[in-house]
Amino acid sequence: MNSSLIAFFRSLQRRGFAARLRALGCEVLAVDRSADGFEADVRHVAQDLDASDFASQIGVGSYDLVTAIEVIEHVESPTGFFRNVGRLLTTGGIAVITTLNVDSLPARTKFLITGKIRTMDEFGEPTHISPIFWDLLQRQFLPRAGLLAGRPSLPA
């Protein structure tokens, strides 16, 4: 396994995730808003992920895999972020993006009772600014960015 990889991730994933991918033989470029606290022994660049064309700074069409682990809820424009992710991918490349589950029963119950989104209220992380709902992800964000949602599968 020696695919090109760009890993977007927050501080909790900074040390382990990038280092594990590198140990698997991946070429890893880690990208975050700041180098502060970055500890993994992989190449790292600081990049404003709210910039409308951050893909041009990192490498358009250069990556087989882009991961964004718990990142998208921190950006101002999820659609703009998805567009940039799509531009980073090679033809046939894959993006793996995770986010907080604001569609869960506890999250919906909290919203029904309090009118507040779980993990994005006054007790949550103050940089959580963009909730990603599954319905809007499929109907709005991905189509506007020119991307398709896939279903995870394992080789037979």
Side-chain angles (χ1 to χ4, degrees):
M1 176 181 199
N2 192 9
S3 63
S4 297
L5 173 78
I6 184 168
F8 290 115
F9 47 94
R10 299 298 301 163
S11 59
L12 292 177
Q13 288 83 22
R14 285 183 181 173
R15 181 183 296 169
F17 189 61
R20 279 186 235 146
L21 290 170
R22 185 170 175 213
L24 290 170
C26 295
E27 179 185 335
V28 178
L29 171 64
V31 178
D32 206 337
R33 293 178 191 259
S34 168
D36 294 343
F38 186 81
E39 300 174 11
D41 186 25
V42 298
R43 192 168 64 125
H44 177 269
V45 296
Q47 180 65 52
D48 178 3
L49 301 178
D50 288 319
S52 63
D53 188 25
F54 70 78
S56 293
Q57 304 298 313
I58 300 170
V60 172
S62 298
Y63 302 96
D64 300 314
L65 174 66
V66 173
T67 65
I69 311 301
E70 308 295 312
V71 173
I72 194 150
E73 65 273 11
H74 299 269
V75 301
E76 293 174 358
S77 171
T79 302
F81 182 81
F82 282 124
R83 282 188 186 116
N84 276 284
V85 166
R87 292 187 63 224
L88 290 167
L89 292 169
T90 59
T91 301
I94 296 172
V96 176
I97 299 171
T98 67
T99 189
L100 308 167
N101 185 354
V102 294
D103 284 312
S104 69
L105 182 58
R108 288 174 182 250
T109 302
K110 179 174 183 163
F111 185 77
L112 178 67
I113 294 169
T114 68
K116 296 179 181 180
I117 298 173
R118 186 170 164 244
T119 73
M120 297 195 177
D121 60 9
E122 64 273 16
F123 304 110
E125 168 62 42
T127 62
H128 289 169
I129 59 173
S130 297
I132 306 297
F133 294 93
W134 180 246
D135 175 60
L136 290 174
L137 176 72
Q138 293 181 99
R139 278 189 311 105
Q140 299 288 340
F141 297 142
L142 295 179
R144 289 175 184 224
L147 299 174
L148 299 171
R151 295 198 179 266
S153 63
L154 298 174

